[in-house]
Amino acid sequence: HNYVDGVCSVCGATDPDYEEPKAKLEALAVSADAEVLLIMRMSFTEELLNDEAATLIVTEEANEITKVDQVTIYTMAQVKEMDKDTKGRYAVKTGIASGEMTGKVTVQIKDGQGNYLKIADYKSEEVTTSVTRTVVDYIRLALASNDERLKQLMIAMATYGGYAQRYYGVNAENPVYNVFAEYGVELPDIDTVTVERIQEELTVSGADIGIKYKSQKLGLDSRIYMSTLFVLDDGENINDYTFKLTYTQDGTEHTKVVDPVQDGSGYRIVVEDIPAAYLDYMYKITVTKNTSGEEYSVTSSVTAWIKRCINASSQPEALKDMAKAMYLYNQAANEYFKK
């Protein structure tokens, strides 16, 4: 007999020793909203979900930055808490940093005796003890689809990811946008992004209250954040100030008190988890001197940072290229999410 998944390909006989896989990779998705997520949609048998000793292991391949594989282990109880769609498929999510979109993500399942279980894969007739995917796999699906808006979003995301690879030096000889050639897609021209094209600007206003804006930086992991650094004048105490963050999102104004985080001799206010479609939204940090009520404020956005970056002669060209690609990613996300 020549058994394939428990059935002889010659005569159709059933393999008496064959066991159906207890898990299957059913579909693949990528989220490009609040963060870049590679999502493996998986189904599991009730027996496996209720196995308290079994674990699901997610391994992110080592690269030039991480140096070693990044391994996350979930109990099946934790798997049952993952998002589940109407078809009963659980979303196994992995955050993907901007420069790591070509990195492999592998899922395995181990039972209580330490044995790796077989996982069926919708793309393969072969059943193995692991399934591996990358963001590139989903980009291929998008480029081959008839969804033009999704296609444009993935093109912009891959362009940003490829230039991030080149800046960070992660698999830089194989940027994610190399996949475009397979589908006759041209790499977007990032040099269309100019200082004149970007409308948002950083502004500083208010009274001299003993604290001043010093600098701003971005965090570009799977989630994007904007960090603004303030410094105190000699003799001032951070406890004498109150910080408020104000921003408008989807037509609604939000204001909240935020706590500064000490960074060396200064203090940072961090705006976390900025979605791709909100990179052009303005965030206002208002600092109030408690004793006098006087205010000092800094208003900025990620795109305002991009504008300063590409206009600064001191910044490396690779960083400017990545910043320009990020701007195009924001524009595509605005169109896709209709922000």
Side-chain angles (χ1 to χ4, degrees):
H1 296 287
N2 180 35
Y3 293 118
V4 178
D5 290 346
V7 178
C8 179
S9 61
V10 178
C11 69
T14 300
D15 183 354
D17 297 321
Y18 178 74
E19 291 186 14
E20 285 286 340
K22 297 179 181 180
K24 182 178 181 180
L25 174 63
E26 302 269 8
L28 187 68
V30 163
S31 169
D33 194 9
E35 66 175 314
V36 177
L37 292 170
L38 180 65
I39 306 170
M40 296 190 188
R41 299 199 181 278
M42 301 190 67
S43 60
F44 308 95
T45 64
E46 282 299 315
E47 178 188 0
L48 178 56
L49 285 170
N50 294 322
D51 185 346
E52 296 180 357
T55 55
L56 183 144
I57 305 162
V58 179
T59 303
E60 299 172 65
E61 181 184 42
N63 59 47
E64 290 87 341
I65 293 177
T66 61
K67 305 299 183 185
V68 296
D69 290 348
Q70 306 297 300
V71 179
T72 305
I73 300 175
Y74 301 94
T75 65
M76 297 314 292
Q78 291 173 315
V79 170
K80 287 195 284 187
E81 294 299 316
M82 293 177 177
D83 293 340
K84 185 168 68 169
D85 64 17
T86 56
K87 296 181 180 180
R89 305 176 303 185
Y90 292 86
V92 181
K93 302 176 181 179
T94 304
I96 305 296
S98 57
E100 300 177 10
M101 294 185 192
T102 58
K104 296 177 181 178
V105 177
T106 298
V107 171
Q108 298 170 294
I109 299 171
K110 189 183 288 188
D111 66 17
Q113 287 71 49
N115 302 309
Y116 286 100
L117 304 181
K118 290 184 176 181
I119 304 173
D121 186 337
Y122 72 94
K123 282 195 66 176
S124 173
E125 294 183 357
E126 184 180 2
V127 178
T128 63
T129 56
S130 66
V131 289
T132 299
R133 291 292 189 275
T134 70
V135 170
V136 180
D137 292 318
Y138 183 77
I139 292 171
R140 285 193 171 96
L141 295 175
L143 294 180
S145 77
N146 294 320
D147 187 335
E148 192 60 32
R149 287 172 57 237
L150 174 63
K151 189 181 299 185
Q152 293 305 316
L153 178 64
M154 289 297 103
I155 288 171
M157 187 187 78
T159 301
Y160 165 51
Y163 280 104
Q165 285 178 250
R166 292 174 59 173
Y167 174 67
Y168 291 114
V170 177
N171 195 18
E173 70 283 356
N174 183 34
V176 60
Y177 54 65
N178 279 358
V179 71
F180 293 171
E182 300 174 21
Y183 298 88
V185 173
E186 291 188 5
L187 180 66
D189 182 4
I190 59 171
D191 289 330
T192 61
V193 180
T194 62
V195 170
E196 293 74 23
R197 179 175 173 179
I198 302 173
Q199 301 301 310
E200 298 76 32
E201 293 194 35
L202 181 144
T203 59
V204 178
S205 62
D208 184 355
I209 60 173
I211 190 169
K212 293 180 177 62
Y213 163 80
K214 184 176 182 180
S215 63
Q216 197 170 69
K217 68 179 183 179
L218 299 185
L220 302 174
D221 201 351
S222 60
R223 299 173 183 265
I224 296 173
Y225 69 82
M226 182 170 65
S227 176
T228 305
L229 181 66
F230 295 85
V231 291
L232 293 169
D233 292 347
D234 290 343
E236 298 292 341
N237 189 316
I238 193 65
N239 296 320
D240 295 333
Y241 298 88
T242 299
F243 293 76
K244 288 191 304 183
L245 176 66
T246 304
Y247 59 98
T248 299
Q249 199 169 84
D250 299 332
T252 302
E253 183 174 277
H254 303 267
T255 299
K256 60 181 179 180
V257 175
V258 289
D259 295 322
V261 177
Q262 188 165 4
D263 183 354
S265 60
Y267 295 85
R268 291 195 177 277
I269 296 295
V270 180
V271 181
E272 298 180 322
D273 301 345
I274 305 175
Y278 294 133
L279 301 185
D280 54 346
Y281 277 36
M282 302 300 287
Y283 295 85
K284 182 179 182 180
I285 302 168
T286 302
V287 188
T288 304
K289 186 74 174 282
N290 298 333
T291 54
S292 67
E294 293 180 290
E295 294 182 343
Y296 175 85
S297 66
V298 177
T299 304
S300 189
S301 68
V302 173
T303 51
W305 177 91
I306 291 172
K307 184 173 187 173
R308 298 195 311 280
C309 174
I310 64 177
N311 197 40
S313 59
S314 60
Q315 297 290 11
E317 288 303 314
L319 178 60
K320 293 182 181 183
D321 287 347
M322 182 180 71
K324 292 174 183 178
M326 192 191 310
Y327 181 83
L328 295 180
Y329 179 35
N330 165 246
Q331 299 298 291
N334 280 339
E335 176 61 26
Y336 185 79
F337 295 107
K338 297 298 182 183
K339 293 295 194 295

